[in-house]
Amino acid sequence: MGDVKLIQHLCNLSKLTLTDEELESFTSDMEVIIGIMDSIKEVSVEGDIHRDSGVYFADVRGDESAPSYPTDQILENAKEKEDNYFEVPKVF
Amino acid sequence: MDFQNLTVKDLRAKLDQKEISAPELTKAYLERISEKDPLVKSFITVCEDSALEQAEAAQWRIDAGEAAPLTGIPFGIKDNICTQGVKTTCASKMLEDFVPPYQATVMEKLCGQDIVMLGKLNMDEFAMGGSTATSYFAKTVNPYDSSKVPGGSSGGSAACVSASMAPVALGSDTGGSIRQPASFCGVTGLKPTYSSVSRFGLVAFASSLDQIGPIANSAYDCGIVFNSICGFDPHDGTTSRHPHGDALSLIGQSVAGLKIAVPKEFFEAGIDDEVKESVYAAVKAYEAMGAKAVEVSMPSLKYAIPAYYLISSAEASSNLSRYDGIKYGYRAQGEDDYNALIRKTRDEGFGTEVKRRILLGTYALASGYYDAYYKKALYLKGKIREEYNAIFKECDVMVTPTAPSTAFGFDEGISDPAKMYLADICTVTVNIAGLPAISTPCGYGKNGMPIGMSIVGKAFDEARIIQMADAFERDFKRVAPVL
């Protein structure tokens, strides 16, 4: 995976921008990390993959309305806001 | 006040017998924090004023004869657990100013008992790491040797309890983040069965693996806290309706006749000799108590690191996509394009290790790689669970080292990601299988650093592993840290 283009592709998918220095160090780090991950390629999959995943899902709760958090509290952590809205740059 | 190894159980008795009041106890710990924490650096936020107010409320309850098991007990809380009105940073620049408008369920439960929250504890950024050195704020040091790491990601929680700045703390464990720092800092840490403790309000890292649990001075104390925080939560659809019994119900019972699985792969290459010797000696101590050790095998252990890192990073890459600078958290300046703002925010707000995990997770899930990596990791997850199930058909518990070595130095390659990932080998399978495990000190290395052993149990069998750890702790003499 020591491939700068691949790292750039992954950065695009995950909305990250790396500096040239970061790009270089991440490319070599990821090569080593993927080398570790590659050992599972020798495993052959037999049977059902999703068997007994270990995540216990409780009963789905009823579709009942309940009080929501007040708007002012939710907006409190936003860095930029106007009236009852989050403020964002122009999207289009 | 002699703080060393002071347990929640001791403090409960002192509070109920009016040997000390809750405000006096809180003041004593706050003084201890101001004396010790400039050296240890385990706290991100100390809540002096609110702690004293909570202590007053706790005292009212104690005086009214209505104390719950944790009323008036001072706690430290890992800084990825949402605390209403108190900053919850995840040790990240991204959440440096984030003040949750709600409590995590575990905090609702603990505050319902009128605990005292001393403050919020340092950790690896977004719980990704085993050293606490990836924190944006400070480098917590090991109370046994300040040139060494406290472990991670709950390094602040373990160091704080180890240095007696709180008798108990909450941590979280995705791949060993409670047990490994407990081992490094010479204290006891419990990772509960997946689904037994609500994750509502725990800032998500890898949702199928994360669990909140206690770090304390004894297995007994871990049991008291577990009893108080476990149970179904309508806010977390992955919590189980399993009827949790009393996790302390087996305390003091003989361990004679119990079968201890000793998996040979956990004692092979890569594990330091002094760690192996200490854990084997602990198994011998159990045999002297009448338990029977059985050598077993877990062949899939060699794939545990890739399976864990692929699953956890895949989930992290999805969970961390919420940090966009719009709704809460850090927001970059100087961008007037929507996508550029998000990218700059994430670039400036996340640290190196977090970015690395996001990239790895994105890779594992990306078109063209999914079948080769993520799907195989899920297959291995099932396989590892099956291997545990087979072992637990024959045995009651399993004993392994908690970490391959004692705490490593800040200068021993902690910035080498591959080295750090491989060091998680002893802990990650427990998360993959969703099982409970407790780490307790079982020896000290030649350099005086603590060695921990892990006792792994069947799902929902916290009572058994707490009984086993307690049985060992009764005769084990702990050495105090230097800080």
Side-chain angles (χ1 to χ4, degrees):
Chain A
M1 156 142 176
D3 178 344
V4 174
K5 276 192 182 157
L6 181 54
I7 299 289
Q8 282 170 330
H9 172 61
L10 296 175
C11 284
N12 278 333
L13 289 174
S14 49
K15 288 199 173 2
L16 286 169
T17 307
L18 302 181
T19 61
D20 289 346
E21 263 175 38
E22 280 180 318
L23 192 61
E24 194 181 320
S25 74
F26 274 64
T27 304
S28 69
D29 284 351
M30 291 300 276
E31 189 173 357
V32 179
I33 292 167
I34 293 298
I36 297 171
M37 304 301 138
D38 273 348
S39 71
I40 68 165
K41 285 185 171 168
E42 69 196 41
V43 175
S44 57
V45 175
E46 295 154 18
D48 181 12
I49 283 177
H50 295 282
R51 61 191 164 177
D52 193 9
S53 71
V55 177
Y56 307 81
F57 285 102
D59 308 335
V60 176
R61 63 185 155 86
D63 187 14
E64 291 155 4
S65 64
S68 190
Y69 293 107
T71 309
D72 57 335
Q73 273 186 34
I74 294 300
L75 284 167
E76 207 135 288
N77 279 293
K79 290 282 184 291
E80 291 178 36
K81 58 204 162 194
E82 197 178 313
D83 300 327
N84 272 354
Y85 298 97
F86 296 112
E87 201 176 324
V88 296
K90 251 193 215 170
V91 177
F92 52 84
Chain B
M1 197 164 129
D2 181 14
F3 288 93
Q4 185 56 40
N5 291 338
L6 205 49
T7 64
V8 171
K9 190 182 172 196
D10 297 334
L11 290 172
R12 176 81 272 130
K14 286 180 192 294
L15 287 165
D16 289 346
Q17 289 157 16
K18 309 286 165 75
E19 279 179 42
I20 192 167
S21 72
E24 284 166 351
L25 183 65
T26 299
K27 275 181 205 156
Y29 274 106
L30 287 169
E31 279 168 23
R32 176 95 179 164
I33 291 167
S34 46
E35 180 198 340
K36 295 282 178 188
D37 209 47
L39 307 169
V40 181
K41 300 187 180 74
S42 60
F43 282 87
I44 291 177
T45 305
V46 177
C47 305
E48 194 168 342
D49 293 344
S50 59
L52 290 168
E53 282 168 25
Q54 289 163 2
E56 294 288 347
Q59 192 57 44
W60 274 89
R61 190 159 165 177
I62 294 165
D63 290 342
E66 293 169 0
L70 295 170
T71 303
I73 300 295
F75 266 73
I77 304 293
K78 188 175 181 180
D79 212 16
N80 59 350
I81 295 172
C82 284
T83 43
Q84 189 170 20
V86 178
K87 268 197 299 188
T88 299
T89 68
C90 267
S92 180
K93 182 179 179 182
M94 190 61 93
L95 290 175
E96 189 174 7
D97 304 319
F98 176 62
V99 180
Y102 65 99
Q103 291 278 43
T105 296
V106 290
M107 293 311 297
E108 285 282 2
K109 290 189 176 210
L110 294 179
C111 293
Q113 290 197 20
D114 283 310
I115 65 147
V116 173
M117 185 175 82
L118 296 170
K120 302 297 294 290
L121 295 162
N122 201 17
M123 53 185 279
D124 281 296
E125 185 181 4
F126 282 100
M128 295 171 186
S131 65
T132 306
T134 69
S135 167
Y136 173 67
F137 297 103
K139 286 202 177 12
T140 303
V141 304
N142 193 305
Y144 282 83
D145 179 345
S146 60
S147 72
K148 299 196 184 298
V149 303
S153 68
S154 310
S157 302
C160 160
V161 173
S162 174
S164 304
M165 288 184 279
V168 60
L170 286 186
S172 68
D173 192 315
T174 304
S177 284
I178 287 175
R179 292 159 286 154
Q180 184 255 30
S183 172
F184 281 10
C185 292
V187 290
T188 308
L190 171 70
K191 181 260 167 202
T193 306
Y194 183 80
S195 82
S196 45
V197 177
S198 170
R199 293 179 295 105
F200 179 73
L202 171 68
V203 179
F205 163 12
S207 306
S208 75
L209 305 167
D210 299 339
Q211 270 292 275
I212 295 171
I215 292 179
N217 281 312
S218 71
Y220 190 98
D221 284 2
C222 287
I224 300 174
V225 176
F226 177 72
N227 278 342
S228 302
I229 60 174
C230 68
F232 172 74
D233 177 14
H235 292 303
D236 176 358
T238 61
T239 47
S240 166
R241 289 187 188 271
H242 182 85
H244 296 278
D246 178 6
L248 300 171
S249 61
L250 301 176
I251 288 277
Q253 289 188 17
S254 168
V255 303
L258 294 177
K259 277 192 182 170
I260 301 173
V262 183
K264 59 181 182 185
E265 291 84 356
F266 282 77
F267 295 84
E268 288 174 352
I271 311 294
D272 285 359
D273 285 344
E274 61 183 12
V275 172
K276 284 186 219 174
E277 285 159 19
S278 277
V279 179
Y280 277 137
V283 172
K284 287 262 177 258
Y286 281 123
E287 286 184 310
M289 293 180 217
K292 189 173 185 304
V294 182
E295 190 186 84
V296 297
S297 174
M298 185 172 274
S300 293
L301 183 68
K302 62 179 172 180
Y303 303 118
I305 291 292
Y308 168 76
Y309 273 92
L310 290 164
I311 293 169
S312 63
S313 301
E315 293 183 24
S317 71
S318 166
N319 274 328
L320 270 62
S321 64
R322 72 191 66 178
Y323 300 102
D324 57 7
I326 308 293
K327 299 179 290 297
Y328 52 88
Y330 177 76
R331 180 169 177 147
Q333 297 300 309
E335 291 292 347
D336 52 11
D337 172 78
Y338 182 71
N339 278 308
L341 169 70
I342 294 173
R343 291 179 74 120
K344 195 173 179 198
T345 293
R346 291 166 66 79
D347 193 40
E348 293 175 359
F350 288 137
T352 303
E353 184 55 30
V354 174
K355 288 179 192 169
R356 214 180 264 135
R357 305 269 184 126
I358 291 173
L359 292 179
L360 177 60
T362 305
Y363 178 66
L365 294 175
S367 167
Y369 301 101
Y370 179 89
D371 284 355
Y373 293 108
Y374 187 66
K375 229 170 157 181
K376 284 229 170 129
L378 286 185
Y379 173 77
L380 283 163
K381 180 177 181 177
K383 197 104 179 102
I384 288 167
R385 286 179 62 80
E386 282 173 6
E387 288 176 12
Y388 269 113
N389 287 342
I391 290 167
F392 283 132
K393 269 189 190 147
E394 307 296 326
C395 298
D396 299 285
V397 296
M398 178 188 275
V399 170
T400 71
T402 301
S405 69
T406 57
F408 31 85
F410 284 100
D411 57 354
E412 289 180 59
I414 59 169
S415 54
D416 175 355
K419 186 179 170 188
M420 295 303 293
Y421 293 2
L422 292 171
D424 291 340
I425 186 66
C426 298
T427 47
V428 293
T429 54
V430 162
N431 300 78
I432 291 173
L435 299 173
I438 191 164
S439 178
T440 188
C442 65
Y444 296 88
K446 288 180 200 76
N447 58 3
M449 299 306 288
I451 296 169
M453 69 164 158
S454 280
I455 305 166
V456 185
K458 300 172 187 174
F460 302 113
D461 207 6
E462 276 79 3
R464 180 66 72 199
I465 59 173
I466 288 169
Q467 172 207 12
M468 292 290 290
D470 174 75
F472 184 82
E473 287 175 354
R474 286 171 189 234
D475 289 325
F476 181 74
K477 190 151 175 41
R478 292 193 185 183
V479 176
V482 293
L483 288 183

